[in-house]
Amino acid sequence: MPRPNYGPQSQKRTKCLLEVLITYANGEFEECDRFESQIQVNWQTEKQLVIRTKVRYLEALIAETGTKEKLNCTQLKDSLKRLKDFLEILEDNRCSTQGSDSWHFTLKLWHHRLDLPGNLVEFDRQWEQRRSPKSKQSTREVTRTQTTEILPNNNISINQVSSRQDWGEAPNCVEFYDRQTELSTLTNWILEQRCQLVTVLGMGGMGKTALSVKLTQQIQGEFSGLIWRSLRNAPPLEKLLTELIKFVSNEQLTQLPQTVDEQISTLIQYLQNSRFLLILDNVESILDSNKRVGSYRDSYERYGQLFRSIGETQHQSCLLLTSR
C-alpha cells in the first residue's frame, strides 16, 4: 500500500477542496444553484458543517468555480482522507465506506465559518505541524514561496501565520464576578451579529477593562489575531496606527504609508483580509471633558476618522473600545 503523501501538491489540493466547500456552503459562489440537490450542506454551528454529496459532484463544483486547481475523483478522495486522518477536522458519518462514491461527513473548522482567511491560515499551520521532519526538509524551499498572500491592491503582502496575540498593557484580571449578562451580550454582538465597532461605556471603577479582558479571553479563538492597546497616555494617532499595521501585517510591511488617510486605508485592507480583534482601552484619555460628549482633545480629532472608517467600511474584523 503506497505511503500517504503530505507534500506541497497534496497540501494545495486539500486546501483547495476545503476553501471551495466553505465558500460554497456560505453561498458565495454565483451560478452554482444547480448543485443544491447534489451537494447538500447544513451549518450545525458557526464552525461545524455537515455535507452530503458524491465525489463526482465535488469534481464538477470545483471545475465550475474556476479555481486554479482541477481535482479529479481520485485526488478528491485523497483530499477528503487528508482532512479526516491527517488534519482530523472531518468526521465520516457513513455507515459503510468500502468502495462508496457517496460521502456524508461533518467538517469541524478552527474559526467562524465566515473567517475563511483565518481557517486557511490555520490549515497551513496545522499541516506544517503534522508533517514529518523528513517531509518538511525535502519541501522547505517550495513551502516558503507558497505562504505569501497578495491583498486586493496588489502592493501589500502578508505571510500566512497562525493566530497571534499582543496583549500590550492589558491587566491580569484573576478575579471576575457577576458579568455574565454583559459577556453574553458582547459575545453576541461580536461573534453572531458581526459588529465591526463595539464600545463599552461606564463610570470609572465599574470594571470596563476587566470585562473586556474576560471577553477577549473567551472569544480569542475566533480571530486570526488580537492586539490590545491602552490610550491612557494619549498616544498620537500616527504612533498607534504604526503599531496596529505592523501587527496585522506580521511585520511584513516595512514601508508604511506617509499620511494618516493612507495608513487608515492600509489598516482596513488587512482587516478585510483576515479577522482581527483590536481592543483600545481608556478612550476617554483622548476626549475633551470640557466640551460636549464625544469631542476630541486638540490634535486628536483624527481618531474619530479611524473609528468611523472601521465602523462604516465593510471588513471582517472588530474594534472594541472602552471609555467613560
Side-chain angles (χ1 to χ4, degrees):
M1 189 174 184
R3 187 176 181 180
N5 178 11
Y6 303 124
Q9 289 304 315
S10 178
Q11 180 179 358
K12 283 177 61 177
R13 288 193 291 265
T14 307
K15 185 177 182 180
C16 172
L17 173 61
L18 179 64
E19 181 175 5
V20 168
L21 289 175
I22 296 174
T23 306
Y24 173 76
N26 283 334
E28 297 176 9
F29 281 136
E30 297 180 0
E31 301 178 0
C32 286
D33 294 342
R34 66 185 183 88
F35 290 102
E36 284 187 5
S37 62
Q38 300 170 341
I39 306 175
Q40 301 174 19
V41 297
N42 176 36
W43 287 104
Q44 289 188 324
T45 70
E46 298 297 349
K47 292 183 180 181
Q48 291 194 12
L49 170 63
V50 177
I51 299 178
R52 288 179 180 269
T53 188
K54 294 185 177 181
V55 174
R56 62 177 181 269
Y57 297 147
L58 293 178
E59 182 181 17
L61 174 64
I62 291 176
E64 184 83 10
T65 56
T67 59
K68 292 181 180 180
E69 294 292 323
K70 304 300 180 185
L71 279 66
N72 59 37
C73 287
T74 300
Q75 292 169 336
L76 279 166
K77 289 180 180 179
D78 287 341
S79 295
L80 288 167
K81 291 177 181 177
R82 300 291 179 271
L83 293 173
K84 175 179 178 287
D85 300 325
F86 183 52
L87 293 178
E88 300 179 300
I89 63 168
L90 185 151
E91 181 179 323
D92 197 340
N93 301 326
R94 297 175 295 173
C95 296
S96 175
T97 61
Q98 188 66 32
S100 176
D101 180 51
S102 298
W103 278 77
H104 175 209
F105 58 90
T106 302
L107 268 182
K108 299 180 180 180
L109 306 179
W110 298 281
H111 300 293
H112 192 283
R113 66 187 181 92
L114 298 179
D115 186 9
L116 179 61
N119 279 297
L120 296 182
V121 165
E122 187 63 22
F123 172 95
D124 286 331
R125 190 181 77 88
Q126 291 288 334
W127 193 285
E128 289 302 310
Q129 267 192 351
R130 294 164 185 255
R131 281 168 54 209
S132 67
K134 183 177 180 180
S135 176
K136 289 182 181 179
Q137 180 67 29
S138 63
T139 59
R140 184 174 298 160
E141 295 303 319
V142 177
T143 304
R144 280 183 188 150
T145 65
Q146 291 177 337
T147 57
T148 299
E149 181 175 353
I150 303 301
L151 295 178
N153 69 348
N154 294 326
N155 60 16
I156 303 174
S157 65
I158 107 175
N159 280 345
Q160 295 186 338
V161 295
S162 59
S163 176
R164 292 174 291 112
Q165 300 179 4
D166 181 347
W167 285 87
E169 307 88 347
N172 181 21
C173 300
V174 179
E175 296 183 354
F176 186 85
Y177 306 103
D178 300 329
R179 293 290 186 180
Q180 291 307 312
T181 301
E182 292 90 340
L183 283 173
S184 297
T185 299
L186 291 167
T187 299
N188 177 264
W189 286 350
I190 295 173
L191 299 187
E192 304 302 326
Q193 299 187 34
R194 308 283 287 192
C195 294
Q196 299 177 177
L197 178 62
V198 175
T199 304
V200 178
L201 297 175
M203 297 174 59
M206 294 294 290
K208 300 180 297 295
T209 298
L211 174 64
S212 300
V213 170
K214 186 65 174 180
L215 172 70
T216 302
Q217 290 172 342
Q218 290 187 357
I219 66 175
Q220 58 186 318
E222 303 293 334
F223 295 87
S224 301
L226 71 89
I227 179 171
W228 179 295
R229 285 295 179 267
S230 172
L231 303 188
R232 184 182 301 277
N233 296 321
L237 179 58
E238 293 82 354
K239 180 178 184 296
L240 176 68
L241 285 170
T242 297
E243 293 183 6
L244 294 179
I245 293 172
K246 284 184 177 180
F247 176 81
V248 297
S249 69
N250 196 26
E251 305 283 349
Q252 298 303 305
L253 190 61
T254 55
Q255 297 294 327
L256 267 63
Q258 295 299 312
T259 69
V260 168
D261 288 342
E262 292 173 330
Q263 290 171 358
I264 292 177
S265 177
T266 298
L267 175 64
I268 294 293
Q269 290 180 50
Y270 281 105
L271 300 186
Q272 292 170 334
N273 185 69
S274 294
R275 184 152 162 75
F276 289 101
L277 178 59
L278 316 179
I279 306 97
L280 298 182
D281 194 21
N282 305 118
V283 173
E284 70 275 0
S285 300
I286 62 171
L287 301 178
D288 192 335
S289 59
N290 296 319
K291 297 180 181 179
R292 62 182 178 84
V293 176
S295 297
Y296 295 90
R297 291 168 50 184
D298 292 341
S299 76
Y300 287 91
E301 294 87 352
R302 302 205 73 174
Y303 266 92
Q305 179 184 348
L306 170 64
F307 299 157
R308 285 192 301 273
S309 296
I310 291 180
E312 297 173 1
T313 306
Q314 185 173 0
H315 56 81
Q316 59 174 324
S317 300
C318 179
L319 171 61
L320 176 65
L321 307 176
T322 75
S323 182
R324 296 181 185 178

